[in-house]
Amino acid sequence: MTQPRTPTDPTSHYVYGRIILDLTDRLNATESFEKAAQFVDHILEPTDGLLERLAEFFEAVAEKAKESEADDGFDLHDDLQEAAATVRALGEDLHVAVDRLKVLAPPRHHGRRHSTADAAGRRSPGFPSPSGSSHGPSTGRSR
């Protein structure tokens, strides 16, 4: 499946940025705090969320830079390790954002029948990975 073009990426080269843009669009379109929390969980989940994976990516690039054994490679290694730590700190600072979003939802009334739309709103957002597989957010918070 070809990713749509954007004015800043007319060749659709930056697929991962586009995936996050799609997630942002879906978040903006939802009227449910529960659904919004599911989208945010894809970013903030402490073991499998985007921030943790981004920190791991920076660490891998840092190790690759160090392989050059050049002075600038070691400096770049340090900068990228610091970036990884900053991304992880951001996740730690926001670790309760998902739960805080969920409690913003109005209380549900007991005995109310749930419509099909309500049930669809509780499903996983089905946010695709670049390979096309779909995984819902984790159910457990480890922090």
Side-chain angles (χ1 to χ4, degrees):
M1 179 171 122
T2 304
Q3 292 290 328
R5 296 175 181 176
T6 66
T8 56
D9 185 19
T11 63
S12 300
H13 177 75
Y14 297 101
V15 295
Y16 302 106
R18 181 61 203 190
I19 289 169
I20 297 304
L21 183 59
D22 290 343
L23 179 65
T24 302
D25 289 346
R26 292 173 72 184
L27 173 71
N28 285 332
T30 189
E31 295 180 17
S32 160
F33 289 104
E34 180 72 30
K35 185 80 167 177
Q38 289 176 359
F39 291 135
V40 172
D41 190 53
H42 279 277
I43 306 300
L44 299 179
E45 203 287 322
T47 55
D48 293 311
L50 181 119
L51 288 183
E52 177 55 29
R53 297 301 186 222
L54 187 58
E56 292 169 357
F57 179 83
F58 283 138
E59 288 171 341
V61 176
E63 291 305 309
K64 185 58 70 179
K66 193 166 72 171
E67 287 176 11
S68 74
E69 297 184 7
D71 288 342
D72 195 43
F74 288 107
D75 290 342
L76 182 56
H77 170 271
D78 293 343
D79 291 345
L80 290 163
Q81 287 287 13
E82 187 175 326
T86 299
V87 168
R88 280 202 177 95
L90 178 61
E92 290 169 6
D93 290 346
L94 296 174
H95 77 279
V96 295
V98 171
D99 296 329
R100 292 177 68 190
L101 267 171
K102 288 177 183 177
V103 298
L104 295 175
R108 295 185 183 180
H109 300 298
H110 296 293
R112 178 177 158 229
R113 289 203 116 194
H114 296 292
S115 70
T116 306
D118 288 341
R122 287 189 304 274
R123 282 191 214 121
S124 164
F127 183 60
S129 69
S131 65
S133 66
S134 175
H135 300 285
S138 70
T139 57
R141 309 291 307 162
S142 64
R143 292 187 183 156

